Amino acid sequence: MNKKKILTGLQPTGTIHIGNYIGAIKQMVKYQDEFDSYIFVADLHAITVPQDPKTLSSKVKSLLALYLACGIDPNKNTIFIQSENEYHANISWLLECNTYYGELSRMTQFKDKSLKNINFTSGLLTYPVLMASDILAYDINYVPVGGDQKQHVELARDIAERFNKKYGLTFTIPEPLIPEEGAKIMDLIDPTKKMSKSSENQKGVINLLDDKETIRKKIMGATTDSDMTIKYDKENKPGISNLINIYKVFTNKTTEEIEQEFKGSNYGEFKKEVAEVVINEITKIQEKYNQILNSDEIDKVLNKGIEKSRQEAKEKYELMKKRMGFGR
Ligand code: AMP
Ligand code: TRP
């Protein structure tokens, strides 16, 4: 039997943080043996808000090096840059003409972003249709994303079902794969908010490219409570619970094991250990990252990935056109 297919993309908007690493990339690494996997850099999505042409391509390259350094295996994944595959935008147009303005204007992320800046482009509105194209082009079964992207994957399902009904079976219906609660990493300074690229205070965000001392300082400075026990209690002890979650994913220990290990320790001692395990793993990633960035590996991986992705997306595009009645 054919393997089920899985796909995700990240936007090349500066460096990524341990929330992205745990929520999206580590998930892909976990599933890469089981599924036929696709991972790409969503640079066409990045331009829905202004980007500096001078730095865009180096951000794309940096994200690709991070994928590989984090353990995304090029022999098990199709890795590519979205803008190098013209079929995504072509498919997107055909899908746009089968998507209602009302659906797009109701998307939570669109509402938030368009309220923040009234001078938004039409690309910000149609962004989820391009995301549907990324997924539907490859007959993807599962899409690992954070909770914020769930609505967009559901829209992709709606669009696919509508198209299949109207023109005949064309698309596989995808499902979002949302990481379990523990995999949502919160801000270190305000542990009731998720760790985010757009956080105002960068002290609450651990970036994969932060140096050792910066990581140590950020973790030692994390907001905690005055109760003094290391116990998981998300409601009353959000800061400690977040550090327990981080320690958990970096050590593969259970919450009970961690509570036992730090019984009687104070917060300083616990934070020091959390910093150690995070620094240990991130340092290894950074070493690989620097090697990869200075080699020709990225180009080799991309050449292989783009060929496969273009071929598959082209087939889907041609099928869509046939179903819709295009041709001579
Ligand atoms: P974004 O930063 O919104 O471009 O997110 C890219 C992907 O990273 C999302 O789809 C999520 O899967 C994941 N992600 C972002 N922030 C977090 C977080 N704080 N905790 C866990 N996963 C996250
Ligand atoms: N919109 C996603 C984000 O901002 C990135 C993305 C683009 C994506 N296309 C996708 C994620 C397809 C999953 C599948 O995080």
Side-chain angles (χ1 to χ4, degrees):
M1 217 185 75
N2 279 345
K3 278 187 179 176
K4 295 251 185 185
K5 289 175 144 188
I6 190 165
L7 166 141
T8 205
L10 266 77
Q11 295 191 44
T13 33
T15 168
I16 66 168
H17 54 71
I18 61 166
N20 302 129
Y21 173 57
I22 293 167
I25 301 187
K26 244 176 140 69
Q27 293 257 94
M28 286 299 287
V29 173
K30 179 170 141 198
Y31 292 120
Q32 64 186 357
D33 292 315
E34 193 180 335
F35 296 118
D36 185 6
S37 309
Y38 294 69
I39 186 165
F40 66 97
V41 177
D43 57 347
L44 293 176
H45 277 105
I47 61 160
T48 53
V49 294
Q51 295 294 332
D52 179 359
K54 290 199 193 75
T55 56
L56 184 61
S57 76
S58 64
K59 285 180 181 167
V60 170
K61 197 171 169 200
S62 166
L63 182 55
L64 286 160
L66 274 175
Y67 282 169
L68 299 175
C70 290
I72 296 286
D73 182 342
N75 294 317
K76 296 176 186 157
N77 287 266
T78 303
I79 304 173
F80 62 99
I81 302 174
Q82 188 186 29
S83 65
E84 288 189 3
N85 186 338
E86 65 273 31
Y87 295 104
H88 286 234
N90 287 351
I91 291 173
S92 192
W93 177 251
L94 302 186
L95 293 181
E96 264 181 54
C97 297
N98 285 283
T99 306
Y100 296 103
Y101 171 78
E103 288 176 302
L104 295 176
S105 61
R106 281 194 297 274
M107 291 288 122
T108 317
Q109 185 179 301
F110 171 71
K111 285 198 278 190
D112 288 350
K113 289 199 180 173
S114 59
L115 276 178
K116 271 187 206 144
N117 177 7
I118 52 159
N119 244 337
F120 57 87
T121 66
S122 51
L124 191 68
L125 177 74
T126 56
Y127 165 121
V129 188
L130 180 61
M131 182 160 160
S133 315
D134 301 336
I135 300 166
L136 301 179
Y138 305 99
D139 287 316
I140 297 302
N141 302 97
Y142 303 111
V143 186
V145 283
D148 54 326
Q149 295 294 324
K150 188 170 169 230
Q151 202 182 32
H152 293 157
V153 181
E154 279 162 0
L155 180 73
R157 285 174 68 92
D158 291 345
I159 296 174
E161 276 166 3
R162 182 179 309 141
F163 195 101
N164 284 349
K165 219 170 175 183
K166 195 164 169 192
Y167 301 106
L169 186 62
T170 310
F171 298 123
T172 298
I173 310 298
E175 272 177 52
L177 207 64
I178 312 292
E180 56 177 289
E181 184 52 41
K184 184 164 165 201
I185 302 304
M186 311 306 277
D187 188 284
L188 296 178
I189 300 297
D190 179 357
T192 59
K193 277 193 343 212
K194 82 165 198 181
M195 190 178 282
S196 162
K197 280 170 199 164
S198 52
S199 287
E200 276 156 38
N201 190 344
Q202 280 298 306
K203 284 187 187 150
V205 181
I206 302 176
N207 292 308
L208 280 193
L209 297 177
D210 279 346
D211 63 49
K212 284 183 198 173
E213 274 325 302
T214 307
I215 297 174
R216 205 184 310 277
K217 271 196 203 129
K218 285 179 178 174
I219 294 179
M220 296 310 290
T223 304
T224 48
D225 51 65
S226 54
D227 166 63
M228 297 303 285
T229 49
I230 290 141
K231 203 163 170 36
Y232 191 89
D233 178 351
K234 218 170 161 247
E235 284 288 299
N236 302 309
K237 298 163 72 67
I240 285 293
S241 303
N242 188 37
L243 291 174
I244 291 180
N245 271 339
I246 293 174
Y247 193 68
K248 198 169 153 180
V249 279
F250 281 91
T251 58
N252 287 321
K253 290 181 183 166
T254 64
T255 305
E256 294 72 39
E257 282 168 346
I258 297 166
E259 287 174 351
Q260 196 56 36
E261 181 178 349
F262 293 100
K263 215 172 186 171
S265 303
N266 62 35
Y267 285 176
E269 287 160 348
F270 174 53
K271 284 177 171 175
K272 221 171 127 214
E273 279 307 306
V274 177
E276 273 322 301
V277 294
V278 173
I279 288 169
N280 198 0
E281 187 159 330
I282 290 188
T283 308
K284 283 189 211 140
I285 292 174
Q286 289 179 357
E287 279 165 12
K288 283 196 205 134
Y289 170 84
N290 287 321
Q291 278 168 13
I292 294 165
L293 208 55
N294 297 316
S295 73
D296 59 358
E297 191 176 347
I298 297 176
D299 269 332
K300 279 194 199 144
V301 166
L302 286 176
N303 289 343
K304 195 173 121 204
I306 192 63
E307 199 183 329
K308 179 157 175 267
S309 87
R310 284 186 85 241
Q311 196 185 334
E312 288 184 28
K314 179 175 193 292
E315 272 174 35
K316 191 59 85 183
Y317 179 58
E318 297 298 342
L319 178 64
M320 288 173 77
K321 286 208 310 190
K322 192 169 142 222
R323 294 268 199 264
M324 292 177 80
F326 287 100
R328 293 189 184 177

